[in-house]
Amino acid sequence: MNTQSQIKRTLSEPSSIKRIRGFLERNESLHRSGLAALVCEQFRFYDARGQEQKSGCLKALRELEAAGHFTLPEARTSPGKRSPRRLSEPVPLPMEVPSQAGEVRELELELVTTLEQMRIWNELMINEHPQGAGPLVGRQVRYLIDSQHGLLGGFGFSAAALQLADRDRWIGWDADKRREYLQYVVGMSRFLIRPSVQCHNLASKVMSMSMAALPDDFERQFSYRPWLVESFVDTSRYSGTCYRAANWISVGKTKGRGRQDRFRQSALSTKEIFMYPIENDFRTRMGLSSNAGLGALGPADGLKAEHWAENEFGNAPLGDARLSKRLVNVAAEKAEVPDRAFSGVAKGDWPAVKAYYRMIDHPDETAINMTNILEPHRRRTVRRMMGQQTVLCIQDGSDLQYTNLDQCEGLGEVVANQTGAKSRGLHLHSTFAV
């Protein structure tokens, strides 16, 4: 199976572009889907089931057309929106549903495979889901939530969002990696617990059931397993509690755009993004480094390497990339001789000393402050905590006495000793995560 980047890379070769131009010249009546089928056949673009990868091929052809390599046939206009197949009457309401999920009898997920099941699924979503039945896009898997009490809801899985800034930052991939591996991310496009059902913990329970069933069902249908699942929660209507209870990870928010927002109007509401790793080593499978993204870290990950300072202080939001780079250099050099002032660390490099003092001699109102300096390290600490089942946060306070620094501004009064004598200084409150 070729990934999207492999298809684009193959078709971008000069010899491939020449062949495609030949196809267009020799077949003036060829439409876009016919061209995509011909290109798939000639270049052997087939998925794991042996089917033509026409969707990925069409996307690559449109991008090459936009780059000026050739002109594709006019796109055919759609004949109109098709109505989904549905029942002639609403799905019967479930009866006598218990108030606790553990008491629901014969609870199961029913994979939608027949036309009748599809009609039921569509009817449920059209009548009871805020977004209706779709259409969904890409590779799709649907479930009905069934029980002895009746149908309680359903799931719909389809293609993941093409771009999401917060999701992409959490994964840690760039545009090329996203193009190559996006097919391994599945979107939970529909999740319905019927409004008439009031059952505590049911949502989180069936979500966990769906994550257990989806990988095998998806693989049976499409011949490969997904690595990640994404979903979105409209926090103006829902809190997302069931996602957290089912071990999903909140990674940020959308920008209110959809797949069809070509003019960046952001007309949709922003939603919270949740991710569920089916495969915990998905970053390794994507060829990403252990430091990529915002996932969990081991306690010592990135600390023993020569680039530890870059890992812990890199990209600090100091308002200037040069200052962020200087911070990394200062941290690395100070770590070599932590008991000495920077003037001693610099070993006579007075331009470096002057640059150091220019950097730290900024008022706290600017971007160069303790919060921003520690921001990358704080994020890394949170990631290390995420990798542990239990974390103890041990706190303590200390008074730092600077009475003899007569010209130092911003100091307050601190208690210096047991007699209660007042001195000038700072109060330091530290937290150690262990």
Side-chain angles (χ1 to χ4, degrees), residues 147-162:
S147 73
Q148 184 177 314
H149 313 276
L151 289 172
L152 307 180
F155 288 97
F157 297 91
S158 61
L162 298 176

Side-chain angles (χ1 to χ4, degrees), residues 55-304:
S55 178
C57 187
L58 276 171
K59 182 177 180 181
L61 290 171
R62 288 194 297 267
E63 291 176 353
L64 291 171
E65 179 189 38
H69 293 295
F70 43 70
T71 300
L72 295 175
E74 288 293 326
R76 291 182 171 182
T77 57
S78 173
K81 186 176 181 180
R82 295 194 310 173
S83 298
R85 296 168 175 168
R86 55 188 297 187
L87 302 177
S88 58
E89 58 185 16
V91 178
L93 294 175
M95 303 294 291
E96 299 179 350
V97 180
S99 60
Q100 297 291 329
E103 300 173 2
V104 177
R105 295 187 294 275
E106 298 181 19
L107 179 64
E108 65 176 356
L109 296 185
E110 186 178 302
L111 181 64
V112 174
T113 57
T114 67
L115 178 58
E116 181 62 19
Q117 290 171 324
M118 191 66 190
R119 291 181 187 276
I120 295 172
W121 191 92
N122 284 336
E123 192 68 31
L124 277 175
M125 297 299 163
I126 290 170
N127 286 329
E128 302 184 38
H129 194 284
Q131 294 180 294
L136 308 185
V137 298
R139 299 178 175 94
Q140 300 166 25
V141 176
R142 293 174 173 84
Y143 295 100
L144 294 169
I145 305 172
D146 202 0
S147 73
Q148 184 177 314
H149 313 276
L151 289 172
L152 307 180
F155 288 97
F157 297 91
S158 61
L162 298 176
Q163 296 184 50
L164 287 170
D166 286 352
R167 176 204 64 188
D168 297 343
R169 189 179 303 112
W170 178 78
I171 292 175
W173 57 15
D174 57 18
D176 289 338
K177 287 290 186 182
R178 182 179 65 236
R179 178 192 295 272
E180 186 172 358
Y181 291 108
L182 185 62
Q183 62 190 324
Y184 292 97
V185 184
V186 176
M188 182 193 286
S189 301
R190 296 292 185 273
F191 174 32
L192 171 69
I193 297 294
R194 303 181 71 177
S196 63
V197 175
Q198 302 296 318
C199 182
H200 191 59
N201 293 332
L202 177 63
S204 59
K205 181 170 184 175
V206 294
M207 287 183 72
S208 296
M209 292 170 62
S210 73
M211 290 301 96
L214 177 66
D216 290 339
D217 291 335
F218 191 97
E219 184 175 21
R220 275 191 289 269
Q221 189 168 346
F222 302 111
S223 300
Y224 73 96
R225 293 173 72 85
W227 300 342
L228 286 166
V229 184
E230 69 183 23
S231 189
F232 310 99
V233 174
D234 186 346
T235 51
S236 66
R237 304 181 61 177
Y238 307 102
S239 64
T241 300
C242 63
Y243 284 83
R244 294 180 175 87
N247 295 318
W248 288 60
I249 304 168
S250 174
V251 302
K253 294 184 179 296
T254 67
K255 294 183 177 179
R257 301 181 61 199
R259 280 179 173 266
Q260 308 306 320
D261 187 13
R262 299 179 180 177
F263 303 104
R264 298 180 178 273
Q265 296 177 343
S266 299
L268 304 177
S269 62
T270 60
K271 297 177 176 65
E272 190 170 3
I273 306 168
F274 284 88
M275 303 294 298
Y276 187 91
I278 293 175
E279 304 292 346
N280 290 326
D281 63 344
F282 67 89
R283 290 186 178 88
T284 301
R285 294 174 182 232
M286 294 177 182
L288 302 175
S289 72
S290 59
N291 290 318
L294 301 175
L297 293 173
D301 283 355
L303 293 179
K304 296 180 180 179

Side-chain angles (χ1 to χ4, degrees), residues 410-431:
L411 298 177
E413 283 192 350
V414 296
V415 178
N417 53 45
Q418 296 178 347
T419 66
K422 298 291 185 178
S423 301
R424 298 173 69 240
L426 299 172
H427 182 72
L428 175 68
H429 191 85
S430 302
T431 302

Side-chain angles (χ1 to χ4, degrees), residues 37-54:
L38 178 59
V39 171
C40 286
E41 178 186 350
Q42 294 295 315
F43 289 89
R44 304 195 62 79
F45 294 148
Y46 299 103
D47 63 18
R49 297 174 296 163
Q51 297 183 355
E52 296 172 342
Q53 294 181 273
K54 289 200 290 186

